[in-house]
Structures are given as structure tokens and as C-alpha cells.
Amino acid sequence: MLDVHRLSLLRELSIRGTISEVAAAMSYSPSSVSQQLSILEREAGVVLLRKSGRRLQLTPQAVLLVDHATELLDCLERAEAALAASSVTVTGTVRLAVFQTAALALIPQALQLLRERHANVRIEMVQHEPETALHETWARDFDLVVAEQYPGHAAPHYAGLDRQLLTGDAIRLALPPVDSAAADFGAVRGLDAASELPWVMEPSGSASRHWAEQACRQAGFEPDVRFETADLQAHVRLVESGNAVAFLPDLVWVGREPRARLLGLEGDPRRTIFTAIRASSARHPAVRAIRNALEETARDLASLW
């Protein structure tokens, strides 16, 4: 009989691409991974891997086994969820991936709710960019991801991931406060008037950056991006100190009174925030508990806007 653990290593290779990346993800040595895959090949009785330059390429038979390995892992995860659901106490560890503004605005209250209701649930959180986090949740590195998508820029879909809308927030033009701004900042009353001003944006290649550049171009200008950072708290500081303008979503202001001057944009663009889990873990009480806590937190915040 084929060994499930070795099948999971083959699946990891199909996802990661190299033995060294599989080893790093699984906390094994590369030689141990290679040895286990060689044993699996002998068990299967067919060639599973061929060298293609410096990389290994999966044969059609290996791809077939990867598909079945995914089904087996899903089945095992459903069994674990059903077993956990049979207990009267909600326990377990949930690995959570979130982007920065969600980590600041949503996670603290959600953790408090979880602590009050299910003290035996352990949450391990990592800040990750949404697209990477979605892929790694599908790959089983995380159990739940809080992700975002900007208007017209749908986040990638992965088979077997269950998405649920969490909340949404308006995106506004953020300008320095009038009392600390130079005259050219203070005169702005709409996006088209910000064409000559310095901008802070997220790095090139991100969905938010692409959306922001398109918004400026539709307004008739190319933004002068002088500051580039993925840290939206740095965007806030640069705006409030009178050094830049930015597009900022409302969630960044949770827990603080904005000093920046905020202007609505044409069409009232909104960012969508959602959670995603593997469908095979949907019945796990610990996963459901943190998802429910996040949804309650989002509802509470939405009532304040």
C-alpha cells in the first residue's frame, strides 16, 4: 500500500518545485526528502520524477498520484474536523495569515472574543501579503487567511478554498491636515488637483499599487510616487506630517482619530476583505470559532462607520 506521508511529500514537490523548498517547508533535510520520494517510486513501481535541467519534473503518473494525495489529505482533514467536533470543548491550534491593516484593526478584538469563549484555542498569526497567503493556505501552511482585493483586481482562486465576505471599506484620498500642509496640499479639493503632488504608494506589482496608478491615470495624470512602502502606517505618517498624499482605506483609522483630510473619490471605490479556509477544515470547531470571532468584530466595526 502507498504511504500517505510519502504521497504528501510528492504533493509538496508539485507545489514547491524543488527538493530544497520541500525540505524547508516540512522541516526535513533535502537528503531525507529525496530518500522518501525514491521509496515512494519503488512502492508505486513506476517512474515518478525526471530531471529537467537542474529541476525535477513530475511524470504523468506522479501528477495522478498528486491528485489522489490531495483527496486523501482532504479526507484526513475532514476526519480530524469531525473528531474535534465530537468533543464538548473547543480546542486546537489555528494558523492564521493576515495582511497588515486587518492585523491591526480586526485581530485584537477577535482574539479577545476567542479568549473569552474558547480559552483552549491557540492562534498562531503571521503577517503575509494576501496573494501569497492564499496560495500557502491552499498548500496547507495556514488554516485561515484574511485577504483583501481592490476594485477590478480579484484575488486568485484556488480549488478547495472556501471564501466568505468579511467586510469592505471605502478608499479615500488622504491629504495632510490643513494646519500642517503647504499651500499646494491645502488647495486640493479632488483627485485631479493632486497631479503635481508627491505620492506614497505600495510597491509595484501589488494589486493596490496597480489600482492606485489606474485611478490617477483615469483622472488624467501620472502620479509622482516618491515614497514606496507596503506599510500603510508609514503612509499615514507621511500624509499627516505633510509630506505626501495617498489612497487610504478606512480600516487604517480604526482605533485612532485621523488627522489627515479625507476626500471621497468618484464612484466611491471600496476594498473587499474576506476570509478563506480549506473546505475540508470548515467543520473544525477551532477554525469556525476564529472565523466567527472575525465576522463579529467586522460587524461591530462596520456599525461605527
Side-chain angles (χ1 to χ4, degrees), residues 24-277:
M26 304 292 285
S27 299
Y28 294 146
S29 68
S31 61
S32 177
V33 173
S34 295
Q35 182 182 40
Q36 292 299 308
L37 291 174
S38 295
I39 294 173
L40 177 63
E41 198 167 52
R42 289 199 299 273
E43 289 176 343
V46 294
V47 175
L48 298 177
L49 303 171
R50 291 195 179 96
K51 283 190 176 181
S52 177
R54 300 181 63 180
R55 299 175 71 90
L56 290 173
Q57 186 175 30
L58 274 65
T59 65
Q61 290 80 9
V63 173
L64 179 68
L65 285 180
V66 166
D67 291 340
H68 284 283
T70 300
E71 291 180 17
L72 284 169
L73 292 173
D74 285 346
C75 185
L76 288 172
E77 191 163 45
R78 285 193 295 270
E80 290 172 353
L83 185 62
S86 71
S87 175
V88 296
T89 304
V90 179
T91 63
T93 297
V94 180
R95 299 160 298 173
L96 176 64
V98 300
F99 61 97
Q100 185 196 47
T101 49
L104 295 172
L106 297 170
I107 296 301
Q109 182 180 333
L111 290 179
Q112 182 178 345
L113 290 173
L114 200 65
R115 189 167 58 250
E116 293 169 354
R117 298 168 184 175
H118 306 292
N120 293 320
V121 174
R122 174 186 172 92
I123 301 297
E124 297 177 353
M125 188 193 81
V126 175
Q127 181 181 319
H128 251 314
E129 290 303 307
E131 291 193 5
T132 302
L134 283 165
H135 179 269
E136 293 184 0
T137 301
W138 170 76
R140 301 176 186 273
D141 290 343
F142 297 105
D143 300 306
L144 185 148
V145 56
V146 182
E148 63 175 353
Q149 58 187 21
Y150 277 73
H153 293 79
H157 285 265
Y158 292 95
L161 284 191
D162 169 63
R163 293 190 183 198
Q164 285 188 15
L165 176 66
L166 188 59
T167 188
D169 56 351
I171 306 167
R172 307 180 197 274
L173 177 63
L175 296 146
V178 174
D179 58 358
S180 68
D184 49 353
F185 286 96
V188 174
R189 294 293 180 270
L191 178 56
D192 56 348
S195 59
E196 301 300 324
L197 298 179
W199 283 79
V200 55
M201 290 187 180
E202 293 197 51
S204 296
S206 64
S208 61
R209 173 64 173 269
H210 187 262
W211 177 85
E213 289 177 334
Q214 290 300 310
C216 291
R217 289 166 185 165
Q218 288 172 6
F221 67 93
E222 192 70 27
D224 178 11
V225 183
R226 300 190 197 177
F227 312 104
E228 186 176 285
T229 173
D231 184 349
L232 292 191
Q233 295 304 305
H235 290 217
V236 170
R237 293 293 298 273
L238 285 166
V239 171
E240 291 187 334
S241 62
N243 290 292
V245 297
F247 291 120
L248 289 175
D250 282 350
L251 209 61
V252 301
W253 307 112
V254 170
R256 60 173 292 171
E257 188 67 28
R259 292 184 58 245
R261 187 161 58 96
L262 302 176
L263 300 180
L265 296 167
E266 184 177 352
D268 297 321
R270 294 179 64 82
R271 180 179 63 163
T272 301
I273 300 166
F274 62 94
T275 60
I277 62 174

